Amino acid sequence: METPEPKLVQGGTVHGLFQIALKDRLSAAGWEALREAGLDLSKPLLPTYPLSQWLCWQRIVLADVWPDLPEDEAWRQLGHTVMQGLLGTVLGRMLGVGVRALGPQFVLFQLNRGFRGADNYVTSQVKASAPGRVELWLSDINGRPTYYAGVLESVLTLSGARGPRVAILHREGPSCTFLLEWEP
């Protein structure tokens, strides 16, 4: 019997969020809580981190940066912020230029490649139902649908979609199906 591969988050994702997007936004107490939870940015980043650590660190960020927002909205904001951080990396800046040129429909069909750059466990399936309207299934959202809604809103905006909207259609086990719409 095979042992399941551990769920890992790429070091570049950690770098983008903590060293770029949140660099000046976390309080001293927030940085200390992250250090106590195993994220010491005075040391070189590892190539990957266990998902459990990433989720713990994300909860620290929610409490520190968006303590007054409803939890779902804080998760959505974190999804936007993760994308800002990824786009602030050298590779992210290069990809951002290409994404704008390709447009939302094409970009959404390439999300599996994008997720491989962020982690080793999320896969996606896209079904276009009309111009400016797709259903997107994600294999594992770790109980954070509005976090992924924020990520997807950022992807749509980055790809040049006008009036992007992301709604959660349904969840089944660890997976979730989203409806993504924009003006064609």
Side-chain angles (χ1 to χ4, degrees):
M1 184 161 133
E2 285 186 48
T3 304
E5 184 176 336
K7 294 179 181 180
L8 300 172
V9 174
Q10 301 297 334
T13 305
V14 174
H15 167 71
L17 179 61
F18 293 102
Q19 293 179 312
I20 296 174
L22 293 173
K23 181 179 173 184
D24 300 321
R25 294 179 67 187
L26 280 169
S27 69
W31 287 116
E32 181 58 30
L34 288 169
R35 269 190 295 285
E36 289 173 4
L39 180 61
D40 184 353
L41 294 174
S42 68
K43 298 178 182 173
L45 290 175
L46 300 174
T48 60
Y49 290 90
L51 173 64
S52 59
Q53 279 189 306
W54 175 245
L55 295 174
C56 173
W57 300 337
Q58 286 187 328
R59 289 210 170 271
I60 291 168
V61 169
L62 293 183
D64 191 72
V65 178
W66 300 286
D68 298 327
L69 288 181
E71 186 176 14
D72 280 347
E73 183 55 27
W75 278 115
R76 183 181 300 273
Q77 291 302 316
L78 183 58
H80 289 277
T81 304
V82 164
M83 288 301 295
Q84 291 167 2
L86 289 172
L87 292 169
T89 65
V90 173
L91 180 58
R93 285 191 296 275
M94 291 187 302
L95 289 173
V97 172
V99 165
R100 282 182 205 91
L102 297 172
Q105 193 89 16
F106 182 83
V107 168
L108 292 172
F109 278 93
Q110 302 302 313
L111 274 183
N112 265 335
R113 292 180 187 185
F115 282 121
R116 288 289 68 81
D119 61 50
N120 73 339
Y121 62 91
V122 176
T123 59
S124 66
Q125 293 177 358
V126 179
K127 183 173 95 177
S129 55
R133 182 182 172 98
V134 301
E135 288 185 18
L136 174 71
W137 173 84
L138 295 180
S139 62
D140 192 343
I141 61 163
N142 297 294
R144 303 167 300 150
T146 53
Y147 167 78
Y148 282 97
V151 167
L152 296 170
E153 287 166 353
S154 291
V155 168
L156 285 173
T157 299
L158 178 65
S159 68
R162 291 176 298 155
R165 297 172 304 281
V166 176
I168 299 161
L169 286 181
H170 55 85
R171 294 174 60 183
E172 184 175 330
S175 70
C176 187
T177 302
F178 298 87
L179 175 64
L180 286 70
E181 298 178 294
W182 63 95
E183 297 171 22

